[in-house]
Amino acid sequence: MEKKRVVITGLGALTPIGNSVDEYWNNLIAGKSGADFITKFDAGLFKTQFACEVKDFDPLSIMDRKEVRKLDPFSVYAMATAQEALADSNIDLEKVDLYRAGVVWGSGIGGMKTFQEECFNYKEGDGTPRFNPFFVPKMIVDIAAGHISIKYGLKGPNYVTVSACASSTNALIDSLMLIQLGKCDFIISGGSEAGVNIAGVGGFNALKALSTRNDNPKTASRPFDSTRDGFVLGEGSGCLILEELEHAKARGAKIYAEVVGGGLTADAHHITAPHPEGLGAINVMKLSLEDAGMKPEDIDYINVHGTSTPLGDIAETIAIKEVFGDHAYNLNISSTKSMTGHLLGAAGAIEAIACVKSIENDIVPPTINFEHKDESIDYNLNLTLNKAQERTVNAALSNTFGFGGHNTSIIMKKYND
């Protein structure tokens, strides 16, 4: 069967550098860091005392106080971006088949804050097992998709993908395939995460995964710099409306870009470290190109996983050179995590949005905070260091990799009828 074409018709973003798509994009291009000292709890005794938090967001702007109490922050963030993306798409839900409309979301952890609070409350109590009746419905990772479908009456496929930091790219690829196969007309997809809490920071500190640059948090996320010492934890959400092309055209939708391919692989190597030769990353980029029916030279921009970890940044540049050959030196490559921090399961969604906006505006956001060269990295690659660059972006590829060896890669390009 001939696969259906899939386009992006709506965007929503809630990030450490902007609470809307426009604010997020403008701050990406300006090279603004979202890192600062943690305000959500007293981190004074932690090895890492900073993060990329969502700022000045009022949940009451999208739902009433009673509803907010029933949701973990990761679900609140999801609801906020779904609302923005649906409004942006201009879909009239009274004129579409709701049985062919789905929600495929991504989150690596889900309701960690809720789990933490309920455990603390029990420990600090008198031993009587008193738990919030919403404990489980707030905590479970699938609930974000459930809330979105309930609010908007969407009765098609409804689930959450969990593949650590690859989760929301996994969700986007699943959505792409469902629409390509004719199972849905449109899908609300993306991801959300709210891991800036005691358990999140403490757990990643124990893994020695986080930067400890407490003297200057805004420069702590520094992909490709020889002094990088770990990632900066972020939080937030990104949402994209993926829609079957003819369905979008029939209602006169604005089309941002076309989603043309995706790849999924595993390193099968280590629970937290990437394969040193980037084998999983090599294979996933090759698969995404094959799925899209594209050649390496068709790609103009790669939004890399680029977490600012000692091993990961090297492995990804090795993989890019292996897949793209000489064309690797014609690409723009950048890590927007240098500005947003690492949103874990939501990273792929906000980075896909960055790719879409790059395609729309022909601008590549920078990799900020670069100062010192690493002898293990090839700087003949255009890593878009410290300043955004204007160039024609006909096609962009986004990589996200997760603990457990999960690799995902998705390709978007300018829409041509």
Side-chain angles (χ1 to χ4, degrees):
M1 62 175 286
E2 184 176 349
K3 292 191 293 188
K4 306 283 190 181
R5 292 174 68 183
V6 182
V7 293
I8 296 167
T9 57
L11 302 171
L14 177 63
T15 78
I17 58 170
N19 296 353
S20 67
V21 171
D22 287 345
E23 187 180 7
Y24 166 55
W25 173 245
N26 290 336
N27 284 328
L28 277 182
I29 295 306
K32 181 176 180 178
S33 170
D36 211 334
F37 291 104
I38 292 169
T39 64
K40 295 182 182 297
F41 65 94
D42 182 358
L45 296 178
F46 285 70
K47 293 176 184 176
T48 298
Q49 298 167 10
F50 59 91
C52 287
E53 296 178 324
V54 166
K55 304 165 186 68
D56 302 319
F57 169 66
D58 181 7
L60 299 180
S61 65
I62 62 163
M63 63 182 70
D64 64 38
R65 194 176 304 276
K66 183 178 179 182
E67 290 302 308
V68 171
R69 289 200 299 267
K70 297 177 183 177
L71 275 65
D72 185 88
F74 96 102
S75 290
V76 176
Y77 296 167
M79 298 294 281
T81 56
Q83 179 173 296
E84 182 185 7
L86 270 175
D88 184 40
S89 74
N90 203 31
I91 291 177
D92 186 344
L93 296 178
E94 294 184 357
K95 295 182 179 179
V96 298
D97 184 350
L98 297 178
Y99 287 92
R100 293 183 54 80
V103 184
V104 182
W105 205 250
S107 186
I109 302 174
M112 179 183 274
K113 182 174 184 287
T114 294
F115 192 91
Q116 171 188 291
E117 287 177 346
E118 292 298 314
C119 291
F120 283 179
N121 289 341
Y122 175 70
K123 183 177 182 297
E124 293 165 2
D126 61 6
T128 304
R130 297 186 182 92
F131 288 85
N132 188 318
F134 290 101
F135 175 24
V136 172
K138 287 174 68 174
M139 175 195 68
I140 51 178
V141 72
D142 66 288
I143 204 68
H147 280 298
I148 294 169
S149 70
I150 291 166
K151 179 174 180 178
Y152 298 107
L154 309 182
K155 299 178 176 67
N158 182 261
Y159 60 95
V160 166
T161 57
V162 182
S163 48
C165 306
S167 296
S168 54
T169 305
N170 217 139
L172 292 169
I173 294 170
D174 278 19
S175 301
L176 169 66
M177 293 190 292
L178 284 166
I179 298 172
Q180 284 178 328
L181 293 173
K183 305 294 186 183
C184 293
D185 295 327
F186 75 91
I187 295 177
I188 298 175
S189 191
S192 57
E193 206 79 85
V196 182
N197 49 55
I198 290 169
V201 175
F204 283 117
N205 266 161
L207 278 172
K208 295 182 167 52
L210 295 181
S211 171
T212 56
R213 192 181 283 264
N214 293 311
D215 58 331
N216 194 354
K218 290 192 181 302
T219 67
S221 186
R222 43 182 50 227
F224 312 121
D225 188 286
S226 65
T227 62
R228 65 193 183 279
D229 67 332
F231 73 83
V232 177
L233 187 60
E235 61 172 0
S237 180
C239 182
L240 299 89
I241 307 297
L242 272 62
E243 189 168 357
E244 194 272 322
L245 174 60
E246 297 305 321
H247 189 271
K249 288 168 63 176
R251 65 181 189 84
K254 169 183 60 183
I255 295 174
Y256 282 103
E258 184 172 1
V259 189
V260 289
L264 305 163
T265 67
D267 280 353
H269 170 67
H270 189 273
I271 58 170
T272 57
H275 192 285
E277 297 172 11
L279 293 186
I282 290 168
N283 289 332
V284 82
M285 286 187 281
K286 285 182 175 179
L287 284 174
S288 65
L289 286 166
E290 180 183 331
D291 189 48
M294 298 174 76
K295 302 172 188 174
E297 53 267 31
D298 294 328
I299 302 298
D300 302 297
Y301 168 46
I302 299 178
N303 187 298
V304 291
H305 188 55
T307 55
S308 187
T309 55
L311 297 178
D313 292 2
I314 295 171
E316 193 168 5
T317 57
I318 291 171
I320 289 170
K321 289 166 65 175
E322 174 65 25
V323 173
F324 289 89
D326 290 342
H327 182 62
Y329 300 97
N330 299 323
L331 294 163
N332 269 78
I333 297 164
S334 74
S335 171
T336 48
K337 288 185 180 73
S338 59
M339 294 169 277
T340 65
H342 191 354
L343 270 63
L344 308 178
I350 67 165
E351 289 157 16
I353 292 170
C355 288
V356 170
K357 297 298 286 184
S358 290
I359 290 166
E360 181 186 30
N361 295 285
D362 289 322
I363 304 173
V364 175
T367 306
I368 68 167
N369 295 326
F370 179 79
E371 295 178 300
H372 310 286
K373 288 188 175 182
D374 181 336
E375 62 182 16
S376 299
I377 292 175
D378 184 352
Y379 293 99
N380 290 315
L381 296 169
N382 185 353
L383 302 174
T384 322
L385 298 173
N386 296 326
K387 188 176 180 180
Q389 295 178 16
E390 294 186 9
R391 67 164 292 165
T392 300
V393 182
N394 288 313
L397 179 151
S398 181
N399 285 331
T400 44
F401 312 137
F403 283 178
H406 311 293
N407 305 303
T408 55
S409 182
I410 192 166
I411 298 175
M412 291 145 283
K413 71 176 186 180
K414 287 188 191 296
Y415 165 68
N416 292 302
D417 195 359

